[in-house]
Amino acid sequence: MTYADRLHPLTVFLWYLAILVLTMTATSPAALLPLFVSAVLLRGVQIGAKRLLAGVPLALLLLLSVTAINLFLVHRGAKILFFLNGKPVTLEAGLAGVSSGVMILSVILFCSCLARSLPGDRLLSLFARRLPRLALLLRMTLGFIPRLRLRYREITDARGALGLADERGVIRKIRARLSDLSILTTLMLEESMDQADGMRARGYGLPGATRAVTEPKTFRDGLLAGALVLLLVPALYPLFSGRGEWNWYPLDTAALLPDLPLALCYAAGTAIAVLPIFLEGKETLKWHILRSRI
Amino acid sequence: MTTRRTCAFLLAVGGVLLAFDAFLWFRGQYRLAFPILAFLLTLPALIVFEWRRTGARELAAIAVMTGISVVGRVLFAPLPGFKPVSAVVILTGLSFGPLAGFMTGAATALLSNFFFGQGPWTAFQMLAWGAVGFLAGLFSRSRIRKNPFLLCLLGVIGGVLFSALTDLWTTVAATGTLLPAAYLTFLISGFPFTLLYAVSNVLFLVLLTRPILRKTDRLKRKYGLFS
Amino acid sequence: MAYLTLSDLTFAYQGAASPALAGCSLSVGEGEFLLVVGRSGCGKTTLLRCLKPALAPHGVTAGDVALGGTSIGDLSPRDAATLIGFVGQDPERQTVCDTVFAEIAFGLEAVGVEGTLIPGRVAEAADFLGIAHLASRKICELSGGEKQLVNLASALALRPRLLLLDEPVTRLDPPAKLRFLSAVRRVNEEAGVTVILAGHDTEELFPVVDRVVYMDAGRIVSALPPRAFVKEAAGEALSFLPTVPRVFRLANGTGEPPLSVREGRLWLTGTLGGKAVTEPDGTDDATAKDDALKTQELLSARDVWFRYGRNEPDVVANLSCTLSPGEILSVVGPNGAGKTTLLKLLAGILCPFAGTVRYEGKRGLPKPGRDGIAYLPQNPALLFARDTVREELREMTGGTPDGDERIERMSARLYLDGILDAHPYDISGGEQTRLALAKLLLLSPRVLLLDEPTAGLDPIAKKQLRDLLRELAKSGCGVVLATHDLTFAAVISDRVATFFRATLASSSDVRRFFSGNRFYTTQAVRLTRDLLPVSLTADEAVAVLKERAGGAT
């Protein structure tokens, strides 16, 4: 049970959507860095430092490769480091690469945080209101997946026992597997027609279908939604006004530190990303305290 | 919520996103603009899917095909480049038509990324596989749908389109813009995988199309599916 | 006052030569509980489906079905969906969603129950059936019995007044079967819902239902209260009688027919007039037979252990068993205990983690198929890859010159000759089992491993299967069957073993096994225990009774 579990899925979804939009449009280091730090902290609070550290090598690899891509493929910029094949390799391109890498890492981190706060099941219940048929399709597929795996195993076992899946020869083996796959398709399609009957028997397709309300919106959701709107207005201001638009080529070191209004806007954006850390962190702490009292 | 209101809502969302996307484009915020564009391109199919009030049997059939391709993607995950997804999606399109093909592709991307990790790339994968299914579906009522050349063509397109779209995202994400040189580099460096996709697709299709289409045709006749 | 009226209902499938239903007339009172029996293919399923507009098959219909005075064609789609509930045969195949809650809520959402009321309605239905604790579980984690209760709950959540159940328990093991049927009984008695159940599970249902509808070739032959049905039954209808009334009828009993074991024993005590025998169960000759069989060994497992993953529990632990040529061994036990795994181990499909499986004395894994071990999965359709029955059989003979001749012989032997050009998915469950068996027999196996071969078979198809297996055993083929059909195990087996706690708990001669058990045994044993020499089947009990009657006169 985490804090997000007690919120309406829509609140959680919108909150993370805002964070992702801010992260993906953050160009200047001053806007991106605080978001990156919050992403790391939020993920750390969710999964613990140990598992977070385990991901560091992969993250570094990604960072390095993105930097390299920019270094060797983007040839703009004034501070030339060296020439490669007659093309300039610039400091700006390298820095832009690092920034891109950090941005991608933040997006990946926030996405995995979202997946944890809003597991598939809850995300689907959110879809179900607005895209009822797609949501139903996804639900049905999720119901089918374990059965498909089971059936595939049963089919390979049963056909194998017939001696039809002769182990000699790669081509024969592939053919046997493909014929198993074709049996699986036929069998499951045939079975799924019964499913469809079950749906029609219970009134699928009638006009005026409703959705079960399992998670009513609470006061807390309203509070958070209000806070989100209030914070988003300044946080999105740079994007819409174009103020503080960042350009790596050429690098303007003086602009690294934003002026006060811009800094406040960035702070609002950071606040959106930081709040979940506190809410989830508080929860973890509470459980620790509760456990130590038991 | 009635179907009409659902579709109206989706159209409204599409409109707002379109405006926002145009604005992002104008600002040069390609990192966000591209995924939104990809999502916007999948939206029409989603709206039609809701609007047509897809029947229970059709829904069940699409769900089975989606399930098979998701399981295929997960099972074959350790083997890079060898993914039955495109083949299954193409077969669905050939059997059940463009919309079913598109939905199978899009739903596969969406669902399998619950296992592999969601992100902006999901939109590109949905679009790529959806488009392949849609394309194959255009031939569902044609007499040449079992033609080996068509199958090879579809298989290759399936492989290339997937690489092209996912590399598009990689390029934009890494460089912040769609730099032709960078895009080309990604395409070339990913070529062996693309080739592998294409070859495995063609192999799957050539071997599976006849038996599977025979079976889905029978199903369509017996249950009046997609008629 | 009839609630449901069928007047002269006739139905023919598109392009079919003869109608599937011919002039069926029936009136059902509100709150009645009807059992529909008959051979598979007699029109039971068609009849049930014709009563539910959304499931009505495509074809030509004549006559009328009225529910509460309105023709069901005139019911609004919403009323048709809510008033008439339907649960089908296969628990796996009906669930639509991934979680139990979503599943039960599905119908409520579809018919437009207000969103805030749905959780309450789901809770009500689940609680009534005692499955409230499953609400947040994933469907795929449930057992077959639980799934079927979820299906029932999904139908009940819509608050139907008529419940149609099409062979709802044929795929369940005995405890799950009883649980489901007692739930249905509660729905009928406590909620007053009219129930029409089609199926072969007469043992459990005869004492409970109000009327038994007997169908043959698309016609309703009779619709009588169970006792009257027992009295009137003649010809083929006799094979649909449960054990106790069957013994009563065949032994020419007089008076009111008994339906339950309790009534049966009272009747038997009365008939015997205090001449009950309490001779000890004759086990001596059985042991001798046991020893004789053990001399030759066809297939054996010694101290076999198996689990599906390193950190998973043992499915088979320290198990040993042997099979001799010509012997039929039944493995009984609940579903999900590992019977299927045991068969797969013996078939060489799975490899034991420790211990050995020997085939014809040779150590190591037997090579499946061609070497003479054949395995029939629970769902025979798993074996079908082709488009006609003939093609299926041809797949097994390959290109051998005498192939077609062998196919001809095999199809005649297994009564498949009429359906050689049909699609394997379009034939009945019994025919599918026979087709799968035909495929296996074309391999000329020396060991036959069968997983629940009787599921969904009508009594007559079971008799055919019994004769076939006996014939095979006589020709030296060893047969292992995993089943929860105790009556079938009692008629067919030489030896019976219980699968319990990942191993074979006891294995003994069939007579000793069933006569030794008090509860895990057949109806016939329960009926005759302490009154007659123990009889395993109804026919045996009848023979004993007739002999006595003959001796008395």
Side-chain angles (χ1 to χ4, degrees):
Chain A
M1 199 74 180
T2 64
Y3 194 83
D5 291 339
R6 273 180 273 122
L7 292 172
H8 192 269
L10 188 64
T11 317
V12 183
F13 184 69
L14 288 179
W15 197 277
Y16 275 99
L17 203 63
I19 297 179
L20 282 172
V21 167
L22 287 174
T23 312
M24 289 173 77
T25 54
T27 41
S28 83
L32 185 57
L33 215 58
L35 286 171
F36 175 66
V37 174
S38 335
V40 173
L41 288 177
L42 182 55
R43 192 72 186 140
V45 166
Q46 281 187 347
I47 62 171
K50 211 188 234 169
R51 282 179 58 200
L52 193 68
L53 284 175
V56 166
L58 212 63
L60 277 180
L61 191 70
L62 189 119
L63 199 63
L64 272 176
S65 45
V66 172
T67 311
I69 286 161
N70 278 272
L71 267 179
F72 298 118
L73 291 177
V74 184
H75 306 292
R76 295 162 67 194
K79 299 218 167 51
I80 294 167
L81 299 174
F82 55 90
F83 281 89
L84 192 79
N85 291 341
K87 292 209 169 144
V89 174
T90 66
L91 177 68
E92 283 96 334
L95 290 176
V98 175
S99 150
S100 289
V102 167
M103 198 278 301
I104 296 174
L105 279 179
S106 315
V107 169
I108 293 177
L109 282 170
F110 279 129
C111 279
S112 28
C113 292
L114 171 61
R116 193 186 162 91
S117 296
L118 206 60
D121 192 46
R122 298 190 74 208
L123 196 63
L124 273 186
S125 72
L126 190 61
F127 272 132
R129 275 185 63 75
R130 296 305 184 184
L131 287 158
R133 279 188 174 71
L134 178 66
L136 182 58
L137 172 67
L138 297 181
R139 259 197 194 291
M140 288 175 75
T141 312
L142 282 178
F144 276 135
I145 286 174
R147 244 166 76 198
L148 277 164
R149 293 188 144 193
L150 190 71
R151 288 285 182 283
Y152 185 70
R153 198 193 177 120
E154 286 173 354
I155 290 170
T156 47
D157 282 355
R159 300 274 300 174
L162 272 187
L164 291 174
D166 221 311
E167 297 300 314
R168 270 164 302 178
V170 182
I171 301 292
R172 276 192 171 187
K173 228 171 169 175
I174 291 178
R175 271 191 182 278
R177 286 288 157 274
L178 288 181
S179 120
D180 291 349
L181 194 67
S182 135
I183 295 178
L184 179 72
T185 314
T186 327
L187 191 73
M188 288 301 291
L189 280 173
E190 193 81 26
E191 284 191 13
S192 75
M193 294 299 111
D194 282 0
Q195 226 106 15
D197 280 348
M199 290 162 73
R200 298 196 307 176
R202 283 183 279 158
Y204 171 80
L206 289 176
T210 49
R211 294 294 132 205
V213 177
T214 47
E215 297 177 287
K217 293 188 180 98
T218 62
F219 176 68
R220 224 189 324 234
D221 290 301
L223 207 66
L224 282 172
L228 183 63
V229 172
L230 282 182
L231 287 170
L232 263 184
V233 172
L236 284 176
Y237 174 73
L239 173 65
F240 279 92
S241 67
R243 270 205 55 183
E245 197 169 320
W246 185 260
N247 199 345
W248 287 102
Y249 315 100
L251 180 61
D252 180 9
T253 37
L256 265 178
L257 273 181
D259 57 8
L260 189 65
L262 207 52
L264 285 178
C265 292
Y266 292 162
T270 312
I272 297 180
V274 166
L275 198 69
I277 308 177
F278 275 105
L279 295 180
E280 299 237 339
K282 195 180 78 183
E283 204 84 351
T284 317
L285 210 64
K286 221 188 250 174
W287 279 111
H288 272 296
I289 294 167
L290 278 178
R291 193 157 45 176
S292 63
R293 280 200 198 135
I294 294 166
Chain B
M1 167 117 356
T2 63
T3 305
R4 192 169 301 183
R5 275 174 61 194
T6 304
C7 292
F9 173 80
L10 290 177
L11 279 174
V13 168
V16 171
L17 279 180
L18 194 64
F20 185 51
D21 201 43
F23 172 75
L24 289 173
W25 213 269
F26 162 72
R27 276 265 176 267
Q29 291 280 8
Y30 300 114
R31 279 196 184 109
L32 189 54
F34 269 98
I36 292 182
L37 183 66
F39 176 71
L40 277 172
L41 287 172
T42 58
L43 201 58
L46 299 188
I47 294 176
V48 174
F49 185 64
E50 297 291 337
W51 180 249
R52 277 215 194 151
R53 305 198 172 128
T54 311
R57 286 181 167 167
E58 285 77 8
L59 204 61
I62 298 175
V64 167
M65 299 310 281
T66 310
I68 290 176
S69 65
V70 171
V71 171
R73 187 175 181 208
V74 175
L75 282 186
F76 284 105
L79 292 174
F82 196 69
K83 309 217 181 314
V85 179
S86 303
V88 175
V89 169
I90 289 171
L91 283 173
T92 312
L94 287 176
S95 308
F96 299 139
L99 187 62
F102 191 96
M103 289 314 295
T104 304
T108 301
L110 195 59
L111 269 186
S112 57
N113 281 359
F114 279 121
F115 301 99
F116 293 104
Q118 301 281 6
W121 50 86
T122 306
F124 291 88
Q125 294 174 349
M126 281 173 74
L127 181 62
W129 279 328
V132 173
F134 184 84
L135 196 67
L138 294 179
F139 296 93
S140 64
R141 286 173 198 279
S142 144
R143 258 179 305 156
I144 58 162
R145 64 188 185 133
K146 288 179 188 171
N147 186 314
F149 290 106
L150 177 72
L151 297 179
C152 289
L153 190 71
L154 285 174
V156 170
I157 291 178
V160 170
L161 197 63
F162 185 73
S163 299
L165 279 174
T166 43
D167 284 345
L168 187 71
W169 160 247
T170 323
T171 314
V172 174
T175 64
T177 172
L178 189 59
L179 204 64
Y183 188 37
L184 210 63
T185 316
F186 275 117
L187 282 182
I188 292 170
S189 63
F191 183 72
F193 282 109
T194 313
L195 195 70
L196 212 58
Y197 282 136
V199 169
S200 67
N201 283 346
V202 169
L203 195 78
F204 259 90
L205 284 174
V206 167
L207 289 174
L208 274 181
T209 304
R210 269 168 199 281
I212 296 234
L213 286 190
R214 222 172 28 232
K215 283 160 182 181
T216 50
D217 282 349
R218 180 188 150 268
L219 207 73
K220 282 199 288 190
R221 271 200 311 277
K222 185 173 170 190
Y223 293 102
L225 269 181
F226 295 98
S227 56
Chain C
M1 178 61 204
Y3 178 57
L4 175 76
T5 325
L6 281 68
S7 20
D8 212 16
L9 182 68
T10 302
F11 174 83
Y13 283 96
Q14 216 107 55
S18 55
L21 293 178
C24 294
S25 295
L26 184 68
S27 76
V28 184
E30 171 119 52
E32 254 198 291
F33 190 161
L34 257 59
L35 170 69
V36 185
V37 296
R39 291 206 60 170
S40 31
C42 71
K44 297 192 300 281
T45 300
T46 313
L47 181 76
L48 251 50
R49 287 186 167 244
C50 282
L51 301 182
K52 171 102 187 159
L55 300 180
H58 291 289
V60 190
T61 320
D64 189 45
V65 180
L67 188 74
T70 354
S71 165
I72 55 162
D74 299 335
L75 284 177
S76 76
R78 181 161 286 123
D79 283 346
T82 53
L83 285 180
I84 310 170
F86 185 92
V87 176
Q89 178 179 22
D90 196 332
E92 311 272 326
R93 290 188 180 194
Q94 295 165 72
T95 52
V96 178
C97 300
D98 53 339
T99 64
V100 173
F101 180 87
E103 183 62 37
I104 302 177
F106 178 85
L108 296 168
E109 293 179 338
V111 300
V113 174
E114 198 189 313
T116 46
L117 299 180
I118 290 177
R121 293 274 294 265
V122 172
E124 185 192 9
D127 206 27
F128 185 72
L129 297 179
I131 51 167
H133 60 289
L134 301 177
S136 49
R137 292 271 294 279
K138 285 211 187 317
I139 302 247
C140 62
E141 296 166 354
L142 305 184
S143 69
E146 288 171 332
K147 277 182 198 153
Q148 199 65 313
L149 283 171
V150 170
N151 289 330
L152 185 61
S154 312
L156 283 188
L158 290 168
R159 302 185 174 159
R161 291 180 64 193
L162 170 65
L163 194 58
L164 306 172
L165 306 166
D166 186 13
E167 305 202 18
V169 291
T170 40
R171 308 255 164 179
L172 309 184
D173 59 10
K177 195 185 261 189
L178 284 177
R179 204 172 156 209
F180 186 88
L181 291 177
S182 74
V184 171
R185 202 178 162 189
R186 279 190 62 207
V187 171
N188 175 250
E189 286 202 343
E190 291 176 26
V193 177
T194 312
V195 179
I196 304 182
L197 188 152
H200 310 299
D201 314 280
T202 48
E203 301 271 6
E204 297 85 356
L205 284 170
F206 257 59
V208 179
V209 296
D210 295 314
R211 276 193 291 162
V212 176
V213 177
Y214 174 57
M215 288 187 72
D216 189 32
R219 291 174 190 283
I220 294 181
V221 177
S222 66
L224 299 167
R227 286 184 216 275
F229 178 74
V230 172
K231 277 189 202 157
E232 307 276 316
E236 209 169 62
L238 278 175
S239 49
F240 292 95
L241 290 183
T243 310
V244 175
R246 197 177 144 82
V247 173
F248 173 83
R249 267 303 301 275
L250 294 181
N252 302 318
T254 49
E256 272 299 279
L259 294 179
S260 63
V261 170
R262 188 172 60 97
E263 288 173 5
R265 288 178 67 87
L266 284 175
W267 161 74
L268 207 55
T269 320
T271 317
L272 295 171
K275 285 183 283 176
V277 277
T278 49
E279 63 188 51
D281 310 333
T283 49
D284 295 343
D285 56 328
T287 346
K289 197 181 166 198
D290 238 7
D291 289 340
L293 279 168
K294 266 180 193 151
T295 50
Q296 238 185 326
E297 209 176 81
L298 182 60
L299 184 68
S300 71
R302 217 166 296 289
D303 310 325
V304 165
W305 295 71
F306 182 82
R307 57 175 78 166
Y308 280 98
R310 190 177 191 148
N311 298 319
E312 280 174 59
D314 288 317
V315 186
V316 168
N318 205 8
L319 179 145
S320 301
C321 69
T322 59
L323 182 73
S324 318
E327 185 186 28
I328 300 180
L329 167 69
S330 288
V331 178
V332 296
N335 278 356
K339 298 196 300 278
T340 301
T341 308
L342 170 62
L343 289 191
K344 286 183 178 176
L345 281 166
L346 293 177
I349 298 166
L350 297 173
C351 175
F353 166 67
T356 52
V357 175
R358 277 166 194 265
Y359 172 55
E360 293 188 307
K362 285 192 288 281
R363 219 187 127 109
L365 274 183
K367 202 164 138 289
R370 309 239 184 253
D371 275 359
I373 299 189
Y375 163 71
L376 177 74
Q378 187 170 358
N379 179 1
L382 295 175
L383 296 175
F384 304 154
R386 303 301 167 94
D387 296 316
T388 62
V389 170
R390 193 191 303 275
E391 290 276 308
E392 287 295 343
L393 296 175
R394 241 177 227 157
E395 187 183 37
M396 304 312 298
T397 54
T400 47
D402 61 336
D404 282 350
E405 197 189 318
R406 282 173 61 205
I407 288 175
E408 212 121 291
R409 254 183 289 138
M410 189 55 72
S411 51
R413 189 172 167 199
L414 290 181
Y415 317 103
L416 292 170
D417 21 15
I419 50 167
L420 277 176
D421 294 311
H423 193 280
Y425 281 87
D426 292 338
I427 59 182
S428 77
E431 286 165 341
Q432 284 191 339
T433 306
R434 289 207 298 273
L435 172 58
L437 264 174
K439 288 191 81 162
L440 298 184
L441 294 183
L442 283 171
L443 294 168
S444 323
R446 299 203 50 214
V447 175
L448 207 51
L449 306 163
L450 311 173
D451 197 358
E452 300 291 354
T454 57
L457 297 191
D458 63 37
I460 292 152
K462 270 187 205 176
K463 230 174 262 166
Q464 287 172 347
L465 180 66
R466 184 191 69 192
D467 295 342
L468 177 73
L469 290 183
R470 283 206 178 133
E471 196 184 310
L472 284 169
K474 207 171 276 172
S475 67
C477 185
V479 180
V480 181
L481 69 155
T483 184
H484 44 61
D485 186 340
L486 295 181
T487 314
F488 188 73
V491 282
I492 191 78
S493 333
D494 296 311
R495 270 193 308 141
V496 182
T498 317
F499 199 91
F500 178 65
R501 298 220 308 177
T503 192
L504 289 180
S506 58
S507 144
S508 56
D509 164 78
V510 61
R511 186 156 293 277
R512 199 161 39 164
F513 181 89
F514 283 112
S515 58
N517 283 355
R518 284 266 151 186
F519 304 106
Y520 210 80
T521 186
T522 61
Q523 294 284 81
V525 174
R526 290 185 193 146
L527 175 68
T528 54
R529 179 182 304 289
D530 303 332
L531 296 176
L532 289 176
V534 173
S535 315
L536 297 192
T537 63
D539 295 337
E540 220 177 291
V542 170
V544 172
L545 276 173
K546 282 202 169 148
E547 193 183 306
R548 274 183 185 252
T553 48

